[in-house]
């Protein structure tokens, strides 16, 4: 037991202790693996071992610095044991407390390991008692200021606040450790023993603040990760909604084509059914956000094969200029079909003959450039200004590209009435099998 009688010396030590706890918590949370451990509430045995590996070494080093260099503020054995039990459960608290205190036990502080193990075990039991584990993270640095409000609600409404349980248990254990250190022989158990009750309150408060500050720092990271996860879920939901708008619209037109062919040319209808089966196989397959360009082109070939039969080769001709090096580049699934369908439906179908669609793809300066050009009736100037906001085809393509690439894409539409329309798209070149990360 070590006594600090001077108020200034005691206050300086306690401030450094809380600062060291906050710095250590902030340092650990910079590691991605540790952030995942904190974010995960129900941890498997491997994750519990990882939690011990992250927390035990720096806390044990702090105990060594206290023993060797007499820097008392570095020793967070009590606070670290309580934290590990509160976050990881009884086993993690018991093992963690025992391991952290080994340097002190080796320095003949015989009660260091039993006390640290007891603190970790008790904190683990507190975790088990709490009905909602999320309440653990409400244990903040200034929670003690809510004690009067908690008492009032407890008396008037019979409602408690489970976040108060770790607060009271932590304070009680610290008081118990200080009292025990004063009753056993010197050096059997380290504790800062203040000169009076006022100073003891400061010591207890500093221990509570160390635990609460670490939890606050880690909880902020949990909130950020939760927001990021929710944003990803929202993005996926919006993407699925946009894609689900495209698919039924496309299938409706295709099935109409098949039904018309069956009446007068069964052989040709049979060929269309084969192409349609390929299309359905693609649509019914597990949803993919990105696909290789060659796979999208195969899908377009089946679709255009049906459309050429429907309109006739004289009225609809397809020309493709695709650089071979772009065939393995990944593009958003169902990117080309809505625009080609739009060109056929609104640009070429009003023409009597000679309808053409040119599809081009090439790379330039690390970007994939795609052009879809038709010689149809064009888009009126008034409608062209609002083309991204109306209709399902082009507006959905633009929205999907915005969700996936943020400001890293470009989509331009140039059109003149009576001459045709050119849709130009630029996206980052991605040639790996891993799908690129969506951007918000």
């Amino acid at each position: 037991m070590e006594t600090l009688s001077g108020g200034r010396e005691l206050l300086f030590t306690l401030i450094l202790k809380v600062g060291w706890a906050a710095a250590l918590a902030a340092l650990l949370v910079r590691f991605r693996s540790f952030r995942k451990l904190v974010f995960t509430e129900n941890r498997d045995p491997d994750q519990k071992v990882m939690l011990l590996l992250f927390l035990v070494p720096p806390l044990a080093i702090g105990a060594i610095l206290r023993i060797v260099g007499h820097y008392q503020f570095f020793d967070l054995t009590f606070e670290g044991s309580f934290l590990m039990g509160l976050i990881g459960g009884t086993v993690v608290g018991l093992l963690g407390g025992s391991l952290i205190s080994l340097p002190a036990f080796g320095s003949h502080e015989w009660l260091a390991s039993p006390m640290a193990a007891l603190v970790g075990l008790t904190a683990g039991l507190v975790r088990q008692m709490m009905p909602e584990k999320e309440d653990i993270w409400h244990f903040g640095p200034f929670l003690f200021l809510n004690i009067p409000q908690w008492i009032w609600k407890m008396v008037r409404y019979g409602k408690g606040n489970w976040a108060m349980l770790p607060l009271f248990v932590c304070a009680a254990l610290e008081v118990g450790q200080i009292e025990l250190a004063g009753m056993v022989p010197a050096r059997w158990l380290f504790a800062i023993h203040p000169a009076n009750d006022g100073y003891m309150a400061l010591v207890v408060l500093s221990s509570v603040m160390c635990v609460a500050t670490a939890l606050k720092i880690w909880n902020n990271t949990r909130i950020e990760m939760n927001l990021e996860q929710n944003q990803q879920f929202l993005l996926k939901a919006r993407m699925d909604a946009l894609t689900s708008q495209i698919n039924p619209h496309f299938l409706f037109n295709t099935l109409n084509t098949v039904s018309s062919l069956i009446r007068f040319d069964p052989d040709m209808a049979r060929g269309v059914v084969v192409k349609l089966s390929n299309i359905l196989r693609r649509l019914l397959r597990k949803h993919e956000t990105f696909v290789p360009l060659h796979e999208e082109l195969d899908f377009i070939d089946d679709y255009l094969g049906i459309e050429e039969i429907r309109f006739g080769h004289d009225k609809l001709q397809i020309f493709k200029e695709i650089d071979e090096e772009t065939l393995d580049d990944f593009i958003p699934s169902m990117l080309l079909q809505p625009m080609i369908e739009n060109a056929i439906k609104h640009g070429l179908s009003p023409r009597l003959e000679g309808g053409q669609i040119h599809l081009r793809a090439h790379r330039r300066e690390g970007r994939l450039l795609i052009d879809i050009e038709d010689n149809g009736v064009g888009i009126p100037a008034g409608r062209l200004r609002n083309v991204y906001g109306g209709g399902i085809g082009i507006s959905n393509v633009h929205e999907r590209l915005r969700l996936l690439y943020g400001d890293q894409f470009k989509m331009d539409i140039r059109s003149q009435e009576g001459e045709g329309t050119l849709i130009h798209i630029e996206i980052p070149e991605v040639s790996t099998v891993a799908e690129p990360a969506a951007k918000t």
Side-chain angles (χ1 to χ4, degrees):
M1 176 183 67
E2 299 188 27
T3 302
L4 293 178
S5 56
R8 183 177 299 178
E9 180 184 358
L10 174 64
L11 185 60
F12 184 66
T13 299
L14 297 182
I15 291 175
L16 288 178
K17 181 179 180 181
V18 176
W20 163 238
L24 182 57
L27 176 64
L28 289 173
V29 86
R30 294 180 64 87
F31 294 94
R32 180 180 300 179
S33 299
F34 185 78
R35 291 198 300 269
K36 290 181 179 179
L37 289 174
V38 171
F39 186 71
T40 303
E41 200 61 61
N42 297 317
R43 302 173 185 86
D44 58 32
D46 290 341
Q47 290 172 324
K48 291 181 179 179
V49 171
M50 286 295 298
L51 188 61
L52 287 171
L53 291 176
F54 268 109
L55 292 175
V56 169
L59 293 171
I61 291 174
I64 293 173
L65 291 175
R66 190 264 303 172
I67 296 169
V68 175
H70 302 287
Y71 300 110
Q72 298 180 8
F73 62 88
F74 275 123
D75 196 326
L76 297 174
T77 300
F78 172 85
E79 295 80 5
S81 302
F82 192 86
L83 264 175
M84 284 191 286
L86 198 59
I87 295 176
T90 54
V91 175
V92 174
L94 183 65
L95 290 176
S98 301
L99 294 173
I100 294 171
S101 58
L102 284 179
F105 188 82
S107 186
H108 307 296
E109 297 178 9
W110 306 120
L111 292 180
S113 290
M115 186 64 194
L118 177 63
V119 169
L121 178 63
T122 304
L125 293 174
V126 169
R127 176 184 175 84
Q128 290 183 357
M129 292 174 60
M130 300 182 73
E132 295 292 336
K133 301 301 183 286
E134 188 65 26
D135 288 337
I136 293 172
W137 300 100
H138 297 161
F139 180 13
F142 301 103
L143 183 64
F144 65 91
L145 297 177
N146 296 333
I147 292 178
Q149 184 182 12
W150 170 74
I151 294 175
W152 170 253
K153 288 183 178 180
M154 193 76 171
V155 172
R156 184 168 183 178
Y157 304 108
K159 293 182 179 179
N161 183 355
W162 281 99
M164 291 291 179
L165 180 60
L167 170 64
F168 291 140
V169 173
C170 182
L173 287 173
E174 177 67 3
V175 172
Q177 177 171 272
I178 294 173
E179 293 298 332
L180 178 61
M183 294 186 298
V184 299
R187 293 187 56 84
W188 276 32
L189 180 64
F190 166 74
I192 298 176
H193 192 78
N196 54 54
D197 292 340
Y199 289 159
M200 175 175 282
L202 289 178
V203 174
V204 174
L205 179 62
S206 69
S207 296
V208 171
M209 291 289 286
C210 287
V211 175
T213 301
L215 287 175
K216 183 65 175 178
I217 292 172
W218 296 343
N219 190 40
N220 288 340
T221 300
R222 291 176 71 251
I223 293 173
E224 292 175 2
M225 294 178 68
N226 189 52
L227 289 174
E228 182 179 350
Q229 186 182 69
N230 289 338
Q231 287 176 348
Q232 294 297 325
F233 287 153
L234 177 60
L235 175 61
K236 185 178 185 303
R238 293 175 67 182
M239 290 297 301
D240 289 344
L242 290 172
T243 304
S244 67
Q245 287 179 321
I246 293 173
N247 292 347
H249 185 60
F250 162 70
L251 285 175
F252 177 77
N253 289 335
T254 304
L255 289 173
N256 276 343
T257 301
V258 174
S259 64
S260 64
L261 286 173
I262 290 177
R263 298 178 181 177
F264 61 86
D265 195 338
D267 291 336
M268 186 175 293
R270 189 179 299 111
V272 173
V273 169
V274 172
K275 295 180 184 296
L276 181 58
S277 68
N278 294 333
I279 292 172
L280 290 175
R281 188 179 297 111
R282 162 76 181 276
L283 296 178
L284 295 176
R285 194 173 60 192
K286 182 180 179 181
H287 177 69
E288 294 174 327
T289 306
F290 294 87
V291 295
L293 177 59
H294 67 81
E295 188 172 322
E296 189 75 4
L297 291 174
D298 291 340
F299 179 81
I300 292 300
D301 288 340
D302 288 324
Y303 169 75
L304 289 176
I306 295 175
E307 295 294 81
E308 282 183 313
I309 294 173
R310 177 186 174 190
F311 287 95
H313 294 287
D314 294 335
K315 193 172 183 180
L316 179 59
Q317 293 180 300
I318 311 300
F319 301 93
K320 292 190 291 186
E321 303 172 27
I322 310 296
D323 289 352
E324 290 189 6
E325 62 181 4
T326 66
L327 292 177
D328 292 327
D329 287 354
F330 279 78
I331 66 171
S333 177
M334 294 290 291
L335 173 68
L336 304 179
Q337 186 274 332
M339 293 183 291
I340 291 178
E341 180 180 358
N342 188 78
I344 294 174
K345 182 177 180 180
H346 300 289
L348 300 180
S349 60
R351 292 177 59 97
L352 296 178
E353 59 182 11
Q356 296 181 354
I357 293 179
H358 293 263
L359 178 60
R360 296 181 286 267
H362 64 279
R363 291 178 183 173
R364 186 175 65 196
E365 298 178 356
R367 295 176 67 81
L368 176 63
L369 282 61
I370 299 175
D371 291 329
I372 300 171
E373 184 176 9
D374 67 71
N375 63 342
V377 298
I379 303 175
R383 185 183 167 205
L384 184 61
R385 287 193 295 268
N386 301 317
V387 70
Y388 294 130
I392 290 179
I394 294 178
S395 61
N396 272 6
V397 169
H398 185 269
E399 177 67 7
R400 292 174 68 206
L401 290 174
R402 186 188 68 81
L403 290 174
L404 291 169
Y405 297 105
D407 59 356
Q408 300 300 311
F409 85 99
K410 180 180 180 182
M411 182 175 179
D412 290 330
I413 300 179
R414 295 192 292 269
S415 182
Q416 288 188 342
E417 289 189 72
E419 296 186 11
T421 302
L422 170 64
I423 301 177
H424 175 75
I425 295 176
E426 294 185 20
I427 57 177
E429 171 196 334
V430 180
S431 301
T432 61
V433 293
E435 293 188 0
K439 297 183 180 182
T440 56

